[in-house]
Amino acid sequence: MTHIIGIRHEDKYLMERRVAITPAHVAKLTKTGLEFVVEKSPKRIFSDNEFEVAGAETADNLRKAGVIFGVKEIPVHHFEEGKTYVFFSHVIKGQPYNMPMLKVMMNKGCSLIDYEKIENDEGKRLIFFGRYAGLAGAINSLWSLGQRLLAQGIENPFSGLRQAVKYNSLNEAREAIAAVGKEISLNGLPDQLWPFSVGVTGYGNVAGGAHEILNLLPSIEITPEQLLKLNKNNAAKNMLYKVIFREKDLSKPVDANMAFDLPHYYTHPEAYQSDFEQYIPKLGMLLNCMYWDKRYPRIVTKDFLEKLYAAGEPAIKVIGDISCDPDGSIECTHKGTEIEDPVFVYNPSTRQPEMGFNGPGLCVMAVDILPSELPREASQGFGDALFPYVKAIAEADFEQSFDNLKLPNPIKKAMILHKGKLTPSYEYISKYL
């Protein structure tokens, strides 16, 4: 039996150029008996010709394919009766903007596998773009820092950096940042920046990518407690101070007599409040890389920023909201920005944003699809993780009952819909429909 896999053209964002399965992966999988039809795309980072050379057919549609792989959400008019789709659906929290899409998939008897829920037995995600979000987010944040300082009339070593998407490769971006690091080591930072500290919230794949970039600069890691004591008398001028913030640094129990307890924090977040505001005035830049949902305290509120800026221009220049939860942990991130227009300045007194680097307030970089700024490397890394499961997904008989459906356990756990019905683990989503 011939199993045909479809690879779709991404159309949610103009600058979305990633792909879940690259030509290199296609070339290997065709040797196992699989066939590929790739939707033609003028913007995808891998050209139609690269896929053809790898052994795939290119076409204007994916009608031949029974299983279709994408990256981002799919417009409702693209779904076909009874087919299986694999993509980031963003429905597991009952996101209202994607419930119409889920309804259409249900009405058409589609099956849905979501990358976000492909996990091992310990619940650790196996297939993700997070590292590349961290890499691109840190590059963009350092670029934003340089441009924001120039807008304020401050010459600085970061001013020659570019947005991640403007580099030809990740290696080229690394080389540019390493050169900035060398300049800082030799000549130090401007007086207006010294001492300069960078806070990183979280410690997962996204944060790991951010650290890869920050480590190209001369830096010392210090604790949050040490940050509070940092000043010109004890800080080097040719060094950045890097601070990792974990849950216990971000929140504290509402009950002052209670100690912070991580398992309790995750099961009863309502019993905790933010403890992060004490650190913000000591930071020059914040990279937000943590998971957040509305049950947890915000770490940067509009009320706090209004008070902070009312007292004068603070040290903090840029927030790189890599997690990009609109109106979320960084409350002034009012929306995810686009690659073509990635930065805004939030004015705490008017509570209004202005796109670009000018104006009073705080510069925020909040690109919603950061990995697409490094599309070739991100696609290759993602495809490497997905590769072991592709053949099993393509060869599965989705006409079988869900109980009898033969799939690798991580994939079956990630199946949200089977033939148009919510699977047992995801029946809770029905209340959002």
Side-chain angles (χ1 to χ4, degrees), residues 103-136:
K103 284 181 182 179
V104 169
M105 295 187 76
M106 295 173 78
N107 290 336
K108 293 198 170 190
C110 297
S111 296
L112 166 62
I113 297 168
D114 193 316
Y115 300 121
E116 189 173 354
K117 296 304 294 181
I118 299 177
E119 301 169 339
N120 63 16
D121 291 340
E122 287 73 46
K124 182 179 180 182
R125 287 180 61 184
L126 299 176
I127 301 172
F128 46 80
F129 282 108
R131 171 174 172 254
Y132 297 94
L135 290 164

Side-chain angles (χ1 to χ4, degrees), residues 32-158:
T32 71
L34 299 181
E35 292 187 13
F36 288 83
V37 57
V38 179
E39 194 173 12
K40 291 179 180 179
S41 174
K43 65 173 185 175
R44 186 187 290 123
I45 191 62
F46 299 97
S47 69
D48 293 346
N49 183 62
E50 286 180 88
F51 277 106
E52 290 167 357
V53 170
E57 174 190 347
T58 57
D60 294 324
N61 59 68
L62 300 177
R63 292 193 189 99
K64 286 185 178 181
V67 177
I68 295 169
F69 286 82
V71 177
K72 299 298 286 184
E73 295 100 317
I74 299 174
V76 294
H77 58 276
H78 279 270
F79 293 108
E80 298 178 59
E81 296 278 348
K83 291 193 174 183
T84 297
Y85 294 85
V86 192
F87 63 102
F88 285 107
S89 66
H90 299 293
V91 298
I92 60 173
K93 297 178 187 176
Q95 290 94 320
Y97 52 89
N98 281 332
M99 290 302 100
M101 177 189 72
L102 191 63
K103 284 181 182 179
V104 169
M105 295 187 76
M106 295 173 78
N107 290 336
K108 293 198 170 190
C110 297
S111 296
L112 166 62
I113 297 168
D114 193 316
Y115 300 121
E116 189 173 354
K117 296 304 294 181
I118 299 177
E119 301 169 339
N120 63 16
D121 291 340
E122 287 73 46
K124 182 179 180 182
R125 287 180 61 184
L126 299 176
I127 301 172
F128 46 80
F129 282 108
R131 171 174 172 254
Y132 297 94
L135 290 164
I139 295 167
N140 280 0
S141 297
L142 292 171
W143 161 70
S144 298
L145 174 66
Q147 298 307 302
R148 176 60 172 164
L149 291 171
L150 280 183
Q152 295 180 326
I154 302 172
E155 294 293 328
N156 68 91
F158 304 101

Side-chain angles (χ1 to χ4, degrees), residues 12-15 140 143 163 165 324 335-344 355 365-370 373:
K12 182 174 180 180
Y13 297 102
L14 178 63
M15 291 294 288
N140 280 0
W143 161 70
Q163 187 180 356
V165 73
C324 190
K335 69 170 185 174
T337 57
E338 298 176 352
I339 291 174
E340 310 94 292
D341 198 9
V343 174
F344 62 86
M355 299 307 295
M365 188 290 304
V367 171
D368 189 33
I369 53 168
L370 280 165
E373 296 207 33

